Amino acid sequence: MAPRPLRLSSKTAPWRLLFIILLVIVPICVIGIFTYAQKLSYFFRPLWDNRPPPFKRLPHFYAENVSMERLCSLHGWSLLTEPRRVFDGIIFSNELDILEIRWRELHPYITKFVLLESNTTFTGIPKPLIFASNQEQFAFAKDKIIHGVFSGRTAGRRSHEDPFVLESEQRAAMNSLLLQAGISNGDLLIMSDTDEIPSPHTVKLLQWCDGIPPVLHLELKHYMYSFEFPVDYSSWRATIHTYGPWTRYRHSRQTDLIFSDAGWHCSFCFRRLQEIVFKMTAYSHADRVRRKDYLNYSRIQKLICSGDDLFDMLPEEYTFQELIKKMGSIPHSASAVHLPAYLIQNADKFRFLLPGGCLRSPE
């Protein structure tokens, strides 16, 4: 006699179905969370993170052919009898083109360009001294340049070193280099990364006006890849200080005051794909490179021309409204107005930074 097939009672069948569903769904969810953890974290950021206290924005008055005395007066300041000395202090990695635009733009107003570069990246990768080997490009500012070298640490010696620790140490080393440059109390000091460029009229205004706040953050218009892709006015880390005994070089929030519309921040604005890949693996957020194919030249080129994110990340926002508003590609802009004058004067040389110039050379 053939054995009877096993039949589940009506009570056990739903539990078996539930078990099968869990056996399939749970691993899929775990894999999905592991794969898209960063995106999920950023999407739900409004639930777990709070927006920092808002800045107090100082209005910024400027127009051509308006006297400096009048501009100072509009800000509630008075005119000095002679301008302050200005020191431009930057940490340099590999941004040669942006550095040239920055220094050409600011040259008439700067007493000393103080540049510090390291023989390693923030992530501990050995690197050549790129500025040191390309100084002929900056011969126009030779008499104003103070160049220093910071001896970093390679990942081989301390493989678990936090990149932000190495970055902080390099910024701290800038303090002694500034003293070597001859900075003194009452001078103005610009603290910013190479690609955070104060506008010349901003520097000139703060150089000539008496009564300015001792520390001011600079609100910079933020661009990605080139000036064809304006993101917003979210860049705030650049500062201008009236130098004093307690001034220390930093790249973090130092006051609640921010000076509106004070320049440009052009992130990943490189001529070559190789330079972009270098920054992706070298700067403090290199952990965003989650897969090797992120560094593929053809992928990067496609993303630059479409205005999409190199790291396939969602916007870092604190409200769902702002997050959803900024999701997707950065809109193209056809405007090349109110950009650095040296950039426009040399548009053929810097075509890759202007509307329609998204194509990059590989090496």
Side-chain angles (χ1 to χ4, degrees):
M1 218 178 140
R4 293 183 178 181
L6 180 63
R7 293 183 180 179
L8 297 175
S9 68
S10 59
K11 292 183 178 180
T12 60
W15 288 106
R16 185 177 183 183
L17 180 62
L18 178 62
F19 175 77
I20 293 172
I21 291 174
L22 291 175
L23 194 64
V24 174
I25 297 298
V26 170
I28 292 175
C29 290
V30 170
I31 294 171
I33 291 173
F34 180 79
T35 305
Y36 299 102
Q38 190 177 59
K39 280 194 173 183
L40 290 170
S41 173
Y42 275 63
F43 184 80
F44 290 108
R45 185 170 191 161
L47 300 179
W48 59 261
D49 200 5
N50 295 317
R51 184 188 298 274
F55 282 104
K56 179 183 177 181
R57 282 180 165 78
L58 299 187
H60 187 171
F61 298 92
Y62 173 75
E64 294 182 9
N65 302 319
V66 177
S67 71
M68 187 55 62
E69 184 176 12
R70 178 60 177 155
L71 289 175
C72 289
S73 175
L74 286 170
H75 291 87
W77 306 325
S78 58
L79 186 67
L80 291 167
T81 55
E82 60 181 31
R84 297 179 180 89
R85 299 195 306 166
V86 183
F87 290 72
D88 182 30
I90 59 173
I91 302 296
F92 178 80
S93 178
N94 67 325
E95 310 94 334
L96 286 171
D97 287 303
I98 288 295
L99 180 64
E100 181 180 349
I101 293 171
R102 179 194 184 100
W103 281 5
R104 289 281 191 179
E105 201 74 359
L106 298 181
H107 185 267
Y109 312 103
I110 302 299
T111 305
K112 293 292 181 183
F113 292 110
V114 186
L115 180 146
L116 182 64
E117 67 175 330
S118 177
N119 58 4
T120 67
T121 68
F122 293 154
T123 52
I125 302 171
K127 65 177 283 289
L129 298 177
I130 296 174
F131 176 81
S133 59
N134 289 274
Q135 292 194 53
E136 70 281 354
Q137 186 174 343
F138 306 95
F140 66 90
K142 182 178 179 180
D143 294 338
K144 293 186 176 184
I145 297 172
I146 304 297
H147 173 233
V149 176
F150 176 76
S151 183
R153 296 192 299 274
T154 60
R157 293 171 60 188
R158 298 179 68 176
S159 58
H160 299 292
E161 185 70 82
D162 183 347
F164 288 100
V165 172
L166 293 177
E167 178 180 351
S168 178
E169 290 178 359
Q170 185 171 347
R171 293 189 188 281
M174 176 64 83
N175 293 303
S176 59
L177 190 61
L178 286 165
L179 292 175
Q180 292 176 38
I183 197 169
S184 59
N185 294 345
D187 294 335
L188 286 188
L189 170 60
I190 303 171
M191 298 186 191
S192 70
D193 285 348
T194 307
D195 58 5
E196 298 167 339
I197 309 174
S199 61
H201 65 79
T202 297
V203 176
K204 184 179 180 182
L205 178 74
L206 299 176
Q207 179 182 40
W208 271 100
C209 295
D210 190 24
I212 66 173
V215 182
L216 265 180
H217 280 279
L218 302 179
E219 181 187 60
L220 307 180
K221 190 168 185 179
H222 190 199
Y223 297 84
M224 189 66 66
Y225 310 133
S226 73
F227 293 97
E228 182 177 359
F229 295 99
V231 182
D232 53 23
Y233 280 91
S234 63
S235 181
W236 56 267
R237 290 182 178 272
T239 51
I240 289 188
H241 299 243
T242 303
Y243 190 82
W246 308 110
T247 304
R248 295 294 179 269
Y249 193 94
R250 294 165 53 192
H251 197 238
S252 55
R253 184 157 177 167
Q254 304 180 57
T255 179
D256 290 335
L257 298 177
I258 190 167
F259 200 38
S260 301
D261 198 4
W264 314 272
H265 180 185
C266 202
S267 297
F268 287 94
C269 293
F270 292 101
R271 183 184 299 272
R272 302 171 186 85
L273 297 171
Q274 180 187 42
E275 295 169 323
I276 294 173
V277 167
F278 178 83
K279 178 172 180 177
M280 291 174 71
T281 59
Y283 80 146
S284 297
H285 296 289
D287 60 327
R288 294 175 177 176
V289 182
R290 301 191 303 277
R291 300 201 309 263
K292 287 185 177 181
D293 66 291
Y294 278 22
L295 306 178
N296 181 275
Y297 281 7
S298 60
R299 173 187 179 272
I300 293 171
Q301 179 62 82
K302 181 180 178 181
L303 293 174
I304 291 174
C305 287
S306 63
D308 287 308
D309 190 78
L310 288 173
F311 304 100
D312 193 25
M313 290 173 55
L314 293 176
E316 299 181 66
E317 294 297 334
Y318 296 93
T319 67
F320 287 113
Q321 181 181 7
E322 287 298 316
L323 188 149
I324 293 171
K325 180 181 176 182
K326 290 186 178 181
M327 288 176 67
S329 305
I330 304 168
H332 293 248
S333 170
S335 173
V337 180
H338 303 304
L339 298 181
Y342 184 75
L343 169 64
I344 302 303
Q345 289 165 354
N346 296 271
D348 291 338
K349 179 178 180 179
F350 297 109
R351 179 61 59 188
F352 70 99
L353 291 175
L354 294 169
C358 70
L359 295 180
R360 300 292 191 267
S361 60
E363 302 291 340

